[in-house]
Amino acid sequence: MNSIPWLALAVLASAQMNAQDISLDSVLDYEIPSHEIRYGALKLAFGGIFEGGYEYVFKPRHGFGTNVLVNFNPKEYGEGYYEDFAINPYYRFYLLKTKNYWGKGLFVEGFLNFYTGRESPSTIEFEGANIVVTHEDRRYFETAIGLAVGQKWVYKSGFVLELKAGVGNSLLGNSDVQANFKGDVSLGYRF
């Protein structure tokens, strides 16, 4: 009667030893998909802003790519999103190294942002007893450099879900906007 638990324990221990001989790296040693396209779902759904991107993951922890932003609903200064058009190259470092799918998990991103926008600076003049406020539409080009952090999930089907938030600093001083915020919930496909 006492030999049954010992026998069960011996079988489980040998199964555990055999399982340790097979590494996950050797089983999943195949060509890794490294191209990815995605779009910013929140900006598109709630702001009429399309942000699409491409990323190339060239090492297990390294990737680079670019995003392009087009604002389909530009508004007057102070009423809407500050970018009308932007090109955003970036470099990512993934903090998790997994053999089955490169470039997923927690990441840190360094980015450059080249963008255009419009603003309407106000001018206040006093003409006798009247106050005259004038607005002059002005278009500008600006660049920014910054850091972002995020999390990416890649499913076996190739579906990608990404959360990202970051901030950068404007470099040229052509706009009243000094801080450059990046962030979205993105959906995409890896192939």
Side-chain angles (χ1 to χ4, degrees), residues 1-190:
M1 208 82 182
N2 286 339
S3 64
I4 292 176
W6 288 108
L7 181 61
L9 183 62
V11 169
L12 288 175
S14 67
Q16 179 66 23
M17 285 183 202
N18 288 336
Q20 289 177 356
D21 291 341
I22 301 172
S23 73
L24 199 56
D25 291 344
S26 64
V27 173
L28 297 173
D29 192 20
Y30 58 88
E31 187 173 335
I32 305 298
S34 57
H35 301 277
E36 180 179 310
I37 55 173
R38 65 182 170 277
Y39 71 96
L42 286 182
K43 286 180 185 171
L44 187 60
F46 296 112
I49 300 168
F50 173 78
E51 184 171 13
Y54 168 80
E55 181 178 359
Y56 177 68
V57 180
F58 63 97
K59 289 186 178 180
R61 291 183 162 183
H62 304 274
F64 62 87
T66 189
N67 293 327
V68 175
L69 180 138
V70 179
N71 189 349
F72 292 115
N73 193 16
K75 297 182 180 178
E76 296 298 320
Y77 176 72
E79 296 179 7
Y81 198 68
Y82 62 95
E83 295 173 322
D84 289 342
F85 179 78
I87 296 176
N88 178 351
Y90 61 86
Y91 175 83
R92 284 188 179 168
F93 179 75
Y94 290 92
L95 301 174
L96 300 176
K97 181 179 177 183
T98 58
K99 185 76 172 185
N100 55 349
Y101 261 79
W102 293 6
K104 72 174 188 176
L106 186 65
F107 63 83
V108 176
E109 172 183 299
F111 66 86
L112 288 172
N113 193 19
F114 304 99
Y115 63 98
T116 63
R118 70 182 78 190
E119 59 188 11
S120 298
S122 299
T123 304
I124 300 174
E125 297 178 1
F126 297 98
E127 294 180 359
N130 298 329
I131 299 174
V132 178
V133 179
T134 57
H135 301 281
E136 180 182 336
D137 283 339
R138 183 175 68 90
R139 296 193 58 80
Y140 62 87
F141 172 79
E142 185 64 81
T143 61
I145 187 169
L147 291 173
V149 295
Q151 176 74 30
K152 183 188 289 187
W153 295 271
V154 180
Y155 299 93
K156 289 183 181 181
S157 64
F159 177 75
V160 174
L161 174 65
E162 177 182 295
L163 302 172
K164 178 176 80 169
V167 65
N169 187 26
S170 297
L171 299 175
L172 300 178
N174 293 336
S175 167
D176 292 339
V177 178
Q178 294 300 314
N180 190 273
F181 297 100
K182 289 290 174 191
D184 209 342
V185 175
S186 298
L187 305 174
Y189 182 72
R190 182 173 283 188

